[in-house]
Amino acid sequence: MIELKNLPDVKEFPSKSERVHESDLLVPICVDLDGTLIRTDLLFESFLQLVRQRFFYLFLIPIWLLKGKAHLKAEIARHVVLDMNRMPVNEPLVDYLRQRREHGHRLYLFTAADGRLARQIAQRFDFFEAVYASDGITNLSGARKLASIRKHVGGDFIYAGDTEVDLPIWREARGAIVAGSRELAGKAARLTTVEASFPRGGHSPRVWARALRVHQWSKNLLVFVPFFLAGPLADFAEFPNVLLGALLLSILASGTYVVNDLLDIQADRQHRSKRRRPFASGRLPIKSGLAAIPACGLAVALLGALLPASFLAVAVCYLGVSLAYSFVLKRIAILDVIVLGGLFTSRILAGSLLLAQPPSYWLLIFSFAFFFSLALVKRYSELHVVACEAGGGGKARGYLVSDMPMTLVLGISSSIAALVILVLFLVDSHFSRLVYSNPVWLWPVCVAIFYWIMRVWLLTTRGEMHDDPIVFALKDRTSLALGLLVGASLAMAW
């Protein structure tokens, strides 16, 4: 347990031995749940689980809502199961509440969340006297929450909240515990005494960049591959369209990443690194993620109006397959990696459709085999982690630990197949001479790719590979050096 003096903006109060002399220490503390005790919202959490587990129940939501918000919460809670032990909590506040409990305060949980879920998460803590929540008829928020506090606790209380909705309650309270911004703490201080303040970090650009996975936009550089491989045949008047196409696919991908992270929020919290993602960790609220999805859609629509219909057709297919992957396909072994290989290849196809030259089938076949192998790298890495943590009986995303040898064989064989396809392309000297004035410089490209993919598999079998081989490539010095070699070889081939 942390010392009181280390807590942010916390008022000192007498020691346990002195509390019998201070009536103020006996004032009960009423604690809000969503956004205060936990860094998420149970209604949104349960809604996402409903979408993920019982998608067609979405059509019942308007019917449930006709009977009131409390009824809606109760029905959703009745059809989902949440892992309460992994919900992100406000740790400094929890430690502070434990100390106040030790010093004689009685703690009560008052929340607008459904009672079924509120009681489940209250069991995770050992300091609440009672739980008061929405019951399917009454939505315990705002004035109703204040009335409930007065009824069950009395008119003398301290209240812990996190939003401006809590200001009317703080106006009637003896003191306030603020689990929100410093601006909110200032407003609360004008109404009552602020006992403690636990400032919450804002939605910084860096957090949003991680939620939108801006670093993954590098994958959409594949859109430029057909343009640069065209060599002297490239028309630089087409470059602006290629740039817009890459931006459109990047924003589209960000939207699908947000959908994926929201639907996987429960599973991510069980993962060694994914639990730190913005939505899983509670650094970004779920409702912000739900708002980001249509915002990405609007941006894509505006950019799409400037690009050819054939490119948009590929982008729409990319979106449909990505969503199908997020909802269903990623849990089907082998099919999931086939889909991933196809999604990467679709980026190259989309880039080809922005050029006057027809797509190269050699390039598309090579791309599919190459990225199919990288998708298996990711699966093998996940299974390696599971094997280390759970032993031989573990599983991950439809794969068993016992599948590791098969994923290894498929991955290495598909990477070799990709290299064979690349060699056949290079041997096709008639085509090469039409495009490149010095095609002999393409051979170092083949050697560099061969070395890189074999090194990736070597590190993967050692358990030294990042969860995402693309992220690994962007951070690995050897990979960056090989990338420069490939670029220089292409330039010489021109």
Side-chain angles (χ1 to χ4, degrees), residues 317-318 321-322 324-326 328-347 364-379 397 399 406-407 410-411 413-414:
C317 290
Y318 174 89
V321 174
S322 294
Y325 176 82
S326 295
V328 179
L329 301 180
K330 67 182 178 182
R331 292 185 288 277
I332 303 177
I334 301 301
L335 182 58
D336 64 328
V337 287
I338 292 176
V339 170
L340 286 176
L343 288 174
F344 276 101
T345 304
S346 67
R347 292 172 166 97
L364 296 178
I365 297 171
F366 162 77
S367 172
F368 177 79
F370 182 78
F371 290 109
F372 177 77
S373 177
L374 289 186
L376 286 165
V377 165
K378 189 172 184 179
R379 292 295 174 263
R397 293 203 183 196
Y399 293 86
M406 181 178 181
T407 58
L410 282 176
S413 60
S414 61

Side-chain angles (χ1 to χ4, degrees), residues 13 176 307 376 470:
F13 52 90
L307 295 170
L376 286 165
I470 302 298

